[in-house]
Amino acid sequence: MARLPALEPPFTTDVATRLAAMMPPGAPPIGLFRTFAKNLPMTAAMSPWGGYELSRQLSLTLREREIVILRTCARCGCEYEWGVHVMVFAGRAGLTRSEIASLTHGHADDSCWTAGRERALIQVADALHDASDISDELWDSARAVLDEPQLLDLLMLCGWYHAISFAARATRVDLEPGAPRFADVTP
């Protein structure tokens, strides 16, 4: 059960305006955004950065972005945000069921990861989760397949989704209707 129940309609004008800006046109606002809207100044401050992380301005591809997000959310145990991204973005990103299962329960050396660049993304996400740092060896390996803007985007994307995961888990945001669960994907 949610520790901070999400706002429910009818919304005040300022809340409705902020939520509409955070969602695709015509889509109802997700529970996490309705929870964040309990602090409108915070939500307004977060929106541009969150928009950047999900935009085409990000130097990582959609597929690479979703690999990093799903891995980070899974490692943080954030079934809510993981489920939203599987439901909304995994298909668009071309992620297979075995890749989603690997990102959720597996490792960068699983057989589904044949591209060194994708393995590097997973390894960096794991290192940041485990140690809040990257070894020199891993940095050199990642640097061989990612340029400087991509490395910076990767680091910040991992950090952003740690923050999102922490907030969603600690507030116990209710899972979105129809969103998958960790147990729905098996290695």
Side-chain angles (χ1 to χ4, degrees):
M1 175 155 56
R3 289 177 171 165
L4 295 177
L7 295 175
E8 295 293 341
F11 303 119
T12 63
T13 302
D14 53 344
V15 168
T17 300
R18 171 57 43 208
L19 291 172
M22 297 171 77
M23 295 298 299
I30 61 173
L32 182 67
F33 294 166
R34 291 183 290 114
T35 300
F36 285 169
K38 289 186 161 198
N39 182 339
L40 278 180
M42 178 199 78
T43 304
M46 291 174 58
S47 291
W49 186 255
Y52 170 75
E53 294 288 11
L54 296 177
S55 77
R56 292 189 172 138
Q57 290 180 303
L58 191 75
S59 62
L60 301 172
T61 68
L62 169 66
R63 179 179 171 83
E64 292 166 345
R65 179 192 84 195
E66 289 306 310
I67 287 169
V68 173
I69 291 171
L70 292 179
R71 184 59 170 190
T72 299
C73 292
R75 291 297 311 276
C76 288
C78 187
E79 194 168 45
Y80 174 86
E81 191 68 9
W82 174 91
V84 167
H85 277 264
V86 170
M87 184 171 61
V88 176
F89 296 109
R92 289 189 231 170
L95 292 169
T96 67
R97 187 164 178 80
S98 65
E99 290 167 339
I100 294 167
S102 175
L103 291 168
T104 308
H105 306 291
H107 305 281
D109 59 358
D110 289 344
S111 62
C112 61
W113 304 113
T114 58
R117 185 174 165 105
E118 292 179 351
R119 283 193 306 273
L121 296 171
I122 298 164
Q123 290 166 339
V124 168
D126 285 351
L128 290 171
H129 181 79
D130 294 341
S132 302
D133 195 7
I134 300 169
S135 70
D136 290 341
E137 180 183 359
L138 178 54
W139 180 264
D140 291 343
S141 175
R143 185 69 178 97
V145 294
L146 298 165
D147 64 23
E148 289 175 351
Q150 292 165 336
L151 285 165
L152 290 169
D153 273 340
L154 171 57
L155 299 173
M156 294 302 291
L157 184 64
C158 285
W160 180 252
Y161 277 88
H162 268 88
I164 296 298
S165 293
F166 296 164
R169 284 199 70 192
T171 60
R172 307 288 194 267
V173 175
D174 293 328
L175 297 177
E176 293 297 321
R181 309 280 312 243
F182 287 151
D184 293 338
V185 294
T186 54

